[in-house]
């Protein structure tokens, strides 16, 4: 019997391959989302429940099987409650993939902000002054801003240094920067429960990772034990950053790259509006 690729590569088989690929991609993304969180242990518990259900059904343990059925039936509601942080983080990631690009400040303003941060980081790192600075990106931080003490001040190295001086009223908690201004100081951030965070790191680092798990905020941490500068972003902890490292990272994250990252759909829609505006002017 002759082998024919035409019989294998039918449209129906191609659709099945795409279907399998999408499912595996979603499973991989789910695993990456849950990696290092308490949801991993809960997921293992779900697998145990499913195995017990299958074994009890196969052996004929009707009571055990009925109990497992009830747990599975009500487990969906329980999972929504238990996995709330992970679900929220996943929806935040989906929401960040919006069609429209964010209209950022001019790069000159971003560079001025980075320079002020650099002054503060160099001063505090050398003197081992602990600090926690969070910058709002796409996701709003209003619920965390509400926990802090309002400042509404321009970002300056001197003000940041003075805020984190030990034994002062504002040194505990986080400074949150919104729209290139210091919104609040002494704010409370959610603590991460990830088991991937090294044991030698303290509350500041757990708070920095925690806010990166539920938002896209960029957070800078200075260790008061070692003076080490770390940055968290999108559930990633970057430790031991040199001055060149964090300056490059901040510029990559804060600079406007609308020319390179231009979204064709957004460009088309903006072009229609711009054309309409020009026609009205005529």
């Amino acid at each position: 019997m002759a082998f024919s690729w035409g019989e294998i590569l039918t449209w129906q088989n191609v659709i099945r391959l795409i279907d399998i690929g999408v499912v595996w991609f979603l499973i991989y993304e789910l695993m990456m989302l849950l990696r290092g969180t308490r949801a991993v242990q809960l997921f293992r518990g779900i697998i145990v429940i499913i195995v017990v259900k299958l074994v009890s059904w196969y052996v004929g343990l009707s009571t055990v099987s009925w109990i497992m059925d009830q747990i599975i039936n009500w487990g969906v509601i329980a999972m929504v409650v238990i996995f709330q942080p992970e679900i929220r983080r996943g929806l935040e990631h989906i929401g960040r993939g919006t069609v429209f690009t964010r209209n950022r400040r001019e790069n000159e303003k971003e560079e001025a902000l980075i320079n002020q941060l650099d002054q503060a980081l160099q001063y505090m790192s050398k003197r081992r002054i602990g600090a926690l600075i969070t910058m709002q990106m796409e996701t709003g931080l209003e619920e965390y801003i509400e926990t802090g003490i309002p400042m509404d001040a321009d970002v300056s190295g001197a003000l940041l240094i003075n805020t984190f001086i030990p034994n002062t009223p504002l040194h505990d908690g986080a400074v949150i920067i919104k729209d290139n201004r210091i919104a609040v100081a002494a704010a409370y951030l959610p603590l991460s429960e990830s088991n991937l965070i090294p044991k030698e790191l303290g509350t500041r680092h757990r708070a920095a990772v925690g806010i990166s798990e539920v938002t896209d905020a960029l957070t800078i941490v200075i260790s008061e034990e070692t003076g080490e500068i770390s940055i968290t972003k999108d559930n990633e902890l970057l430790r031991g950053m040199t001055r060149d490292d964090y300056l490059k990272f901040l510029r990559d994250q804060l600079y406007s790259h609308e020319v390179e990252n231009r979204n064709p759909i957004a460009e088309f829609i903006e072009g229609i509006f711009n054309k309409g505006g020009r026609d009205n002017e005529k």
Side-chain angles (χ1 to χ4, degrees):
M1 181 177 179
F3 178 79
S4 174
W5 281 104
E7 296 178 0
I8 297 177
L9 296 178
T10 62
W11 178 249
Q12 187 176 13
N13 288 339
V14 171
I15 293 298
R16 287 173 180 171
L17 289 174
I18 295 174
D19 189 26
I20 294 172
V22 170
V23 170
W24 275 111
F25 175 77
L26 293 176
I27 293 174
Y28 172 79
E29 289 295 323
L30 179 62
M31 292 174 63
M32 292 298 100
L33 190 64
L34 300 181
R35 184 177 57 129
T37 68
R38 61 193 177 99
V40 174
Q41 287 74 27
L42 296 174
F43 190 69
R44 292 173 182 170
I46 293 173
I47 294 177
V48 171
I49 291 174
I50 294 175
V51 170
V52 172
K53 163 62 184 175
L54 294 176
V55 172
S56 61
W57 171 79
Y58 182 78
V59 175
L61 303 176
S62 57
T63 304
V64 175
S65 179
W66 180 84
I67 293 174
M68 293 299 104
D69 285 337
Q70 301 307 308
I71 293 175
I72 293 173
N73 291 337
W74 291 97
V76 176
I77 299 176
M79 286 177 62
V80 172
V81 176
I82 296 172
F83 291 156
Q84 186 269 338
E86 287 74 23
I87 294 174
R88 174 177 174 175
R89 188 178 69 186
L91 294 176
E92 290 278 4
H93 280 295
I94 294 174
R96 290 170 206 156
T98 182
V99 172
F100 300 98
T101 58
R102 184 165 72 97
N103 185 19
R104 296 183 175 178
R105 303 278 187 176
E106 296 290 336
N107 285 346
E108 290 79 6
K109 295 182 179 179
E110 304 296 348
E111 182 63 25
L113 170 64
I114 292 172
N115 288 335
Q116 294 301 319
L117 289 171
D118 180 39
Q119 293 177 22
L121 295 180
Q122 286 298 303
Y123 183 95
M124 292 188 289
S125 176
K126 291 176 181 178
R127 292 160 180 80
R128 298 186 180 181
I129 298 174
L132 182 61
I133 304 171
T134 295
M135 287 179 280
Q136 177 176 303
M137 303 296 281
E138 297 284 349
T139 306
L141 301 177
E142 292 303 323
E143 63 180 295
Y144 308 108
I145 290 176
E146 291 175 357
T147 67
I149 298 176
M151 295 187 69
D152 190 23
D154 291 331
V155 179
S156 72
L159 181 56
L160 289 172
I161 293 169
N162 191 65
T163 301
F164 289 109
I165 292 295
N167 302 320
T168 57
L170 300 180
H171 86 282
D172 280 333
V175 162
I176 298 181
I177 297 175
K178 176 183 177 182
D179 297 332
N180 284 23
R181 293 180 62 83
I182 299 178
V184 296
Y188 292 99
L189 303 182
L191 298 181
S192 173
E193 298 182 9
S194 173
N195 54 18
L196 298 179
I197 301 176
K199 300 297 183 182
E200 68 269 15
L201 300 183
T203 304
R204 283 193 181 91
H205 290 82
R206 287 201 167 270
V209 175
I211 194 67
S212 75
E213 291 175 346
V214 296
T215 73
D216 64 342
L218 188 157
T219 303
I220 305 172
V221 190
I222 300 179
S223 171
E224 62 182 13
E225 285 80 18
T226 64
E228 178 185 79
I229 298 175
S230 304
I231 292 180
T232 63
K233 180 78 167 63
D234 295 330
N235 199 21
E236 184 177 9
L237 173 62
L238 306 174
R239 296 185 59 188
M241 303 197 79
T242 65
R243 184 171 184 267
D244 290 338
D245 291 337
Y246 71 70
L247 287 177
K248 181 179 184 302
F249 186 85
L250 290 174
R251 287 175 179 134
D252 288 342
Q253 295 296 322
L254 300 180
Y255 271 20
S256 176
H257 302 291
E258 293 183 11
V259 175
E260 294 82 354
N261 298 330
R262 194 65 176 172
N263 190 303
I265 299 178
E267 189 175 20
F268 173 75
I269 296 175
E270 289 176 6
I272 294 176
F273 282 104
N274 291 336
K275 182 178 183 299
R278 290 192 296 269
D279 291 342
N280 292 333
E281 291 175 0
K282 293 179 181 178

